[in-house]
Amino acid sequence: FLGSVDVVIGQTTEARRELAQQITQNALLAVAVVGLIMSGLAVLAVQSALRPLARIERDFADRSSKDLTPVNVDVPQEISSLVQALNGFIARLDRQLIVMQTLIADASHQLRTPVAALRAQAELAAEEPDPERQLQIVGKIHERSKNLSRLTDQLLNHALVIHRADAVDLEPLDLRTIATEAVAQFDQTMSVSRSAIRLDLPEAPVMCKGDALSLIEACKNLINNAVTHGTTPITVFVQAENGKARLGARDKGPGIPEDMWPDAAHRFKKNAGVSSKSAGLGLAIVNAVALAHGGRMRFSRSSETMFEVYLELPQTEAVE
């Protein structure tokens, strides 16, 4: 049989509705199953991601209040930066605690003897019937009071410059301004005249990033060290050479013997200038400031009668 055949299929609207409902239910069921699976995987992923944080939490919870060691917990690379930031913060807290403990220990050790001596001499002066002898004792009390005042200032300044190393942001500074301000602030009535301290400054700015207060304090200690142990005239100088900025003091004396240079930067060392009139803290303050600025303290003897102590710091470009 040849020819065309027309096939007509009919479906009721009720059957069509039931088919549509069945397709919808099957699709919703599939979506629900997939959603539950994805939710479970998400929970597992979150728990896995937070597990290192729980280890860090346990590490801190198990510590004593005195434990400021770095966090040493295995963590994925994604949160390693968090651990590094925590360790940096812990290190800053540790340094501040050390500063406080050092100040307390130094004050307890270094101030007890001169305060006791002052008290004993004051009692002698009060009981001394001879006016001339009493005046001599008062003179000793005055001299010890000046030494005690200087020691107290140095102890506080040493703690201050170490504290500021973490607490103050470094700013662009011209070392010529620092040198000029340090000379202006220095108490030149202590042992030398104003003409005994000179300035040797270049015409161009010598820039570095620093804390002005700490650098001025370091420069004043360099001047005081030259006044105490050197020979006038004293020259406060600023130099720039090979990307390094220098701020220092030069005097005409022989200076510190070279074999004593390693100890000169440490607190209360005999080779740092400790004596009955000095605690040897001046160069320790200078060294602390140099280290806080990414530099170092240096000594130089250009001749038998020319000695220099200076901070050598990274030089920066002048700000337009």
Side-chain angles (χ1 to χ4, degrees), residues 4-138:
S4 60
V5 177
D6 294 332
V7 179
V8 178
I9 299 174
Q11 184 181 30
T12 64
T13 55
E14 185 67 25
R16 185 180 299 175
R17 187 181 301 108
E18 290 178 357
L19 178 60
Q21 288 179 348
Q22 185 178 2
I23 293 173
T24 303
Q25 290 173 357
N26 292 339
L28 291 175
L29 180 61
V31 169
V33 171
V34 172
L36 289 174
I37 294 174
M38 293 183 65
S39 298
L41 292 175
V43 171
L44 292 176
V46 170
Q47 290 179 344
S48 177
L50 294 180
R51 193 172 295 119
L53 297 180
R55 290 199 294 268
I56 296 174
E57 179 185 359
R58 288 194 299 270
D59 180 78
F60 278 104
D62 294 340
R63 290 182 177 216
S64 69
S65 58
K66 299 179 181 179
D67 187 358
L68 291 176
T69 57
V71 176
N72 187 17
V73 175
D74 292 332
V75 295
Q77 185 176 1
E78 290 76 12
I79 63 172
S80 60
S81 58
L82 171 62
V83 174
Q84 292 175 1
L86 284 174
N87 286 338
F89 180 70
I90 291 172
R92 291 195 296 272
L93 286 178
D94 189 37
R95 286 194 294 269
Q96 295 301 321
L97 182 61
I98 290 174
V99 170
M100 182 182 67
Q101 292 173 339
T102 300
L103 176 61
I104 293 172
D106 289 347
S108 175
H109 181 264
Q110 297 295 324
L111 297 180
R112 184 178 290 120
T113 299
V115 169
L118 276 175
R119 178 180 177 181
Q121 289 183 335
E123 291 174 352
L124 286 175
E127 297 173 358
E128 179 59 53
D130 184 358
E132 292 187 4
R133 175 62 180 162
Q134 189 178 55
L135 285 176
Q136 292 177 356
I137 297 175
V138 170

Side-chain angles (χ1 to χ4, degrees), residues 115-194:
V115 169
L118 276 175
R119 178 180 177 181
Q121 289 183 335
E123 291 174 352
L124 286 175
E127 297 173 358
E128 179 59 53
D130 184 358
E132 292 187 4
R133 175 62 180 162
Q134 189 178 55
L135 285 176
Q136 292 177 356
I137 297 175
V138 170
K140 291 181 179 180
I141 292 175
H142 180 255
E143 185 66 25
R144 284 186 175 273
S145 297
K146 291 197 300 183
N147 294 338
L148 180 59
S149 175
R150 178 63 184 167
L151 172 59
T152 303
D153 287 343
Q154 287 186 323
L155 286 172
L156 294 175
N157 288 335
H158 187 260
L160 176 64
V161 298
I162 296 176
H163 166 73
R164 291 179 69 87
D166 285 326
V168 177
D169 293 330
L170 304 185
E171 300 177 347
L173 299 172
D174 186 351
L175 289 184
R176 299 178 305 170
T177 304
I178 299 297
T180 303
E181 186 65 23
V183 172
Q185 291 184 17
F186 184 72
D187 186 6
Q188 299 181 21
T189 62
M190 291 177 59
S191 55
V192 293
S193 64
R194 180 174 295 273

